[in-house]
Amino acid sequence: MKKYLFLIIIFPNFCLSQNIFNPYTLYENSGEIYDIDSLRTLDINFYNSDFNNILDSTYYNDPSYRLPAQIIFNNIILDSVAIRYKGNSSYIKCSSMFKKPYNIDMNDIISAQTLMGYKKIKLSNSWFDPTFLKELLATKIYQRYLPTYETNLMKVNTQGSYTGLYLNQEAINKQFLEKHFSEKDGAFFKCDPIDMSMYSPNLEFLGLDSSLYYNSYELKSENGWSNLINLIDVLNNNPSNIESVLNVDRVLWYFAANHIVMNYDTYNIGSPHNYYLYQTEDNLFQIIPWDLSESFINASGSTPSGILSDPYSLQPNKPLLNILLNNQLYRKIYSAHLRTIINESLDTSWFSQNINSLQALAYPAVISDTEKGYSNQDFFDNINQVSVLNQWISAQPLMPVILARINDLIQNPEINLIPPSISNLNISGNYISAEVINADSVHLMLTLSEYNSGFQEINMYDNGQNGDALSGDGIYTTYYQFPVNGDEAKFYIRAYNDNAIKLLPEKAEYIFFKYSSNTTNNTNIHNINKRNLLKITDILGRSVISKHNIPLIYIYDDGTVEKKIYTE
């Protein structure tokens, strides 16, 4: 049986119990290794003083080669940690410098050795980002909508000398899979080619011979080539069955998040790479974002004209994008996801607050970092103006890009189509009802799957029959026999009109309701739209008691989330 983290709401004297998935519970708390509010130091001490020449040489000649070293972090000393250089352009552009990006494996030499629970971490030198903040802020947004790696800032000393300020990145590995999917043994691929100029993990069908895909996809599990080829085959040659092999909704969230944060280096905008695919036990591949360093058009000298401004742009040789957006149902769901992320995450006050606090935290480390790509002044200036690295690369300004993106999206005619509204969700015995306005049809989307997938449509009616009290009153009702053995039904509501779709909760299918029935009494009524306050958290989902004058996240039992100033 799979394990998931849920907020549990207890209603005394009721036999129907409701839970709602809260993805924030999967992420780090204060004091842990990815605490965003702390700036801690990692000391790396290689046993071989010629480490730089060795790792430079093996980066090209033997990329998997690692050198042993001792590391010290948070008063924790670990010996025989295995380290290599990592990255593509972030390594190549600074190969003559001392500040290289690191891949650090605690578990490679000493089995089961971890650093604060993690077997591996990756340190990015943020070579193209004068602010050091763009990827960090992007990951916090992606985490609201799909499984995403964690990040924070970290100072690094190497051989006793200050190397510079780094972005600490959680590795996408089996430990990450266990954390987000409660499993780790499925087919697992890193979708990055060995040579971007010759190969592409764009999911085009090349044939049934697995060797045709070796240069575009890296197998990270013991086996899985036939699984990946089957996914690609169905996508290209039998797309009507795509939901049998792919978590389509998660891909739509991924596409929407890429466009909202202007993440150029992703499948649906720029070159199709920087993502992982993992096949969970329900046989569906899940997409996982990676390397969000190009977020907010970080280094945009070659950005194709128009692609970033139009979230509905179709592109050659990208079957996953073109097939999904040419499907009218998927396109409407994608539009609903775009509206949700715009409303929740393009919040200039949230950006301003985080920029100010993180810059204050990072400032001493940045000033002392003599090998960063840009100047000390660029650290501040690039928040509001362009910073030029060289004749090929310029870092776009963070806040003007965000403001321009907001202005562009709110004028998009397809995003501006008016969806239905959903309120007053009720369960009365085995009848589920909701008040829906401006809809042509309404569906209960429900599954009993332990994998929280495979949601099926059940029609809801406003016809005065089958439990619906009054025809034409805007209350849509359906009958569902909840399992009498206590198994949980997972569901959300989806309402349609000719133009648009509305979901409740809005983050479905990543967030959904769960209900189970008690066989002794299943007739009690619970009105979900009373919107009981479940908890108040900060922007990372951490519970708080009082943080006056700081925007906090209010989480309600109907799946809605609000940003407010805490005043109690």
Side-chain angles (χ1 to χ4, degrees):
M1 181 63 68
K2 299 173 75 63
K3 300 176 182 177
Y4 291 89
L5 296 173
F6 292 90
L7 289 178
I8 299 175
I9 314 163
I10 299 175
F11 300 98
N13 303 319
F14 288 96
C15 333
L16 290 172
S17 60
Q18 181 224 2
N19 306 325
I20 188 164
F21 177 70
N22 175 19
Y24 284 123
T25 60
L26 298 172
Y27 297 104
E28 292 281 68
N29 295 313
S30 178
E32 299 185 56
I33 194 169
Y34 290 104
D35 180 358
I36 194 174
D37 296 322
S38 298
L39 181 58
R40 291 176 287 189
T41 300
L42 177 73
D43 287 280
I44 302 173
N45 299 308
F46 288 97
Y47 303 129
N48 190 324
S49 60
D50 195 31
F51 71 93
N52 187 51
N53 289 329
I54 295 172
L55 292 180
D56 273 339
S57 174
T58 55
Y59 177 86
Y60 294 103
N61 301 324
D62 188 5
S64 63
Y65 181 84
R66 296 176 182 268
L67 270 179
Q70 177 198 73
I71 64 171
I72 304 171
F73 178 79
N74 204 35
N75 296 319
I76 300 169
I77 301 175
L78 297 181
D79 291 311
S80 298
V81 169
I83 301 178
R84 63 176 175 84
Y85 291 149
K86 77 171 193 75
N88 292 313
S89 57
S90 62
Y91 169 83
I92 294 169
K93 298 297 184 182
C94 68
S95 58
S96 63
M97 308 293 285
F98 185 51
K99 187 181 179 182
K100 310 289 176 59
Y102 286 115
N103 182 310
I104 302 176
D105 193 334
M106 278 65 67
N107 180 62
D108 184 71
I109 299 172
I110 300 178
S111 178
Q113 179 171 245
T114 66
L115 177 62
M116 297 183 73
Y118 287 87
K119 295 179 180 179
K120 181 183 289 187
I121 62 173
K122 298 183 178 183
L123 300 178
S124 168
N125 58 10
S126 296
W127 185 255
F128 301 113
D129 181 9
T131 72
F132 288 86
L133 302 181
K134 293 172 183 175
E135 183 172 359
L136 190 157
L137 293 173
T139 58
K140 304 311 170 192
I141 292 175
Y142 278 75
Q143 286 166 9
R144 297 171 180 171
Y145 310 105
L146 71 165
T148 306
Y149 63 98
E150 299 202 57
T151 55
N152 67 351
L153 298 173
M154 182 181 291
K155 296 185 293 183
V156 176
N157 297 324
T158 307
Q159 305 300 91
S161 298
Y162 181 53
T163 316
L165 183 65
Y166 282 77
L167 185 72
N168 176 27
Q169 302 166 310
E170 180 185 9
I172 308 292
N173 56 11
K174 287 190 174 184
Q175 193 171 17
F176 176 93
L177 300 178
E178 184 73 31
K179 172 179 173 179
H180 286 277
F181 305 112
S182 299
E183 56 169 279
K184 58 183 179 181
D185 297 323
F188 184 32
F189 289 87
K190 183 177 182 180
C191 301
D192 255 330
I194 61 170
D195 185 336
M196 288 286 294
S197 65
M198 297 179 62
Y199 306 101
S200 173
N202 61 0
L203 300 176
E204 282 193 300
F205 184 69
L206 305 177
L208 297 177
D209 184 350
S210 61
S211 66
L212 298 171
Y213 302 88
Y214 290 169
N215 292 328
S216 298
Y217 309 86
E218 180 184 352
L219 179 66
K220 307 294 285 188
S221 50
E222 293 183 3
N223 51 64
W225 283 110
S226 62
N227 308 64
L228 177 66
I229 294 171
N230 181 58
L231 166 69
I232 296 173
D233 188 9
V234 171
L235 172 66
N236 289 270
N237 302 319
N238 191 13
S240 62
N241 287 329
I242 189 60
E243 290 190 29
S244 69
V245 293
L246 179 69
N247 188 324
V248 171
D249 187 72
R250 185 146 294 162
V251 175
L252 297 175
W253 277 116
Y254 167 73
F255 283 170
N258 289 342
H259 258 291
I260 296 300
V261 303
M262 299 140 285
N263 187 358
Y264 168 60
D265 213 14
T266 55
Y267 185 100
N268 57 319
I269 301 177
S271 299
H273 73 129
N274 280 339
Y275 68 98
Y276 286 78
L277 288 171
Y278 176 66
Q279 188 178 36
T280 44
E281 291 178 5
D282 54 0
N283 295 318
L284 299 183
F285 272 96
Q286 316 287 329
I287 198 164
I288 302 169
W290 173 245
D291 190 2
L292 307 181
S293 62
E294 294 289 337
S295 296
F296 311 108
I297 324 179
N298 192 9
S300 63
S302 59
T303 303
S305 175
I307 288 179
L308 272 173
S309 63
D310 182 9
Y312 299 94
S313 174
L314 303 180
Q315 299 166 53
N317 306 316
K318 293 185 178 181
L320 182 60
L321 172 68
N322 299 335
I323 288 169
L324 294 190
L325 292 196
N326 274 323
N327 179 295
Q328 289 306 303
L329 173 61
Y330 297 154
R331 190 180 181 103
K332 286 182 178 180
I333 296 171
Y334 171 65
S335 297
H337 293 347
L338 285 168
R339 293 185 196 100
T340 296
I341 303 176
I342 292 167
N343 292 334
E344 289 186 354
S345 296
L346 281 187
D347 181 345
T348 55
S349 63
W350 180 85
F351 279 103
S352 296
Q353 178 206 339
N354 279 271
I355 289 168
N356 292 338
S357 62
L358 290 169
Q359 281 205 318
L361 181 71
Y363 175 73
V366 172
I367 297 304
S368 302
D369 185 345
T370 59
E371 299 208 17
K372 55 185 176 291
Y374 290 85
S375 70
N376 293 336
Q377 191 60 43
D378 285 324
F379 171 65
F380 295 105
D381 289 349
N382 192 230
I383 300 300
N384 291 300
Q385 65 187 50
V386 174
S387 292
V388 178
L389 178 63
N390 53 43
Q391 60 181 318
W392 299 283
I393 297 174
S394 297
Q396 299 304 301
L398 184 54
M399 288 306 297
V401 164
I402 292 167
L403 292 170
R405 192 60 177 149
I406 293 171
N407 183 65
D408 186 52
L409 291 170
I410 63 176
Q411 297 184 64
N412 184 284
E414 197 158 351
I415 292 174
N416 273 319
L417 294 173
I418 305 301
S421 64
I422 310 173
S423 60
N424 296 322
L425 176 62
N426 285 274
I427 292 181
S428 178
N430 290 310
Y431 290 96
I432 302 172
S433 65
E435 183 175 357
V436 183
I437 300 173
N438 189 33
D440 298 320
S441 61
V442 180
H443 288 123
L444 172 70
M445 305 297 299
L446 187 142
T447 184
L448 298 178
S449 169
E450 64 174 309
Y451 305 106
N452 303 334
S453 61
F455 287 85
Q456 300 297 310
E457 291 184 352
I458 300 174
N459 286 319
M460 301 181 73
Y461 297 102
D462 181 17
N463 58 6
Q465 301 177 28
N466 299 314
D468 184 56
L470 183 65
S471 177
D473 64 350
I475 307 297
Y476 287 76
T477 306
T478 194
Y479 176 88
Y480 179 74
Q481 178 63 59
F482 288 101
V484 296
N485 60 359
D487 284 353
E488 290 172 311
K490 300 115 183 205
F491 73 92
Y492 63 96
I493 306 296
R494 191 160 75 189
Y496 308 70
N497 59 33
D498 286 341
N499 296 319
I501 278 176
K502 182 73 172 182
L503 307 174
L504 181 72
E506 287 192 19
K507 293 182 185 177
E509 294 174 351
Y510 190 35
I511 288 179
F512 47 82
F513 299 115
K514 292 180 63 178
Y515 264 81
S516 62
S517 60
N518 186 314
T519 56
T520 62
N521 184 354
N522 61 4
T523 61
N524 292 296
I525 300 174
H526 172 55
N527 185 321
I528 296 174
N529 265 27
K530 290 178 181 176
R531 273 216 328 165
N532 297 305
L533 178 64
L534 302 184
K535 64 189 297 189
I536 304 172
T537 76
D538 64 12
I539 59 171
L540 296 181
R542 299 175 299 206
S543 296
V544 297
I545 297 175
S546 177
K547 286 190 176 182
H548 292 283
N549 300 320
I550 295 178
L552 299 174
I553 305 299
Y554 281 55
I555 301 172
Y556 297 92
D557 63 351
D558 67 345
T560 58
V561 176
E562 294 181 349
K563 295 183 286 292
K564 299 181 180 180
I565 300 295
Y566 189 74
T567 58
E568 296 180 8

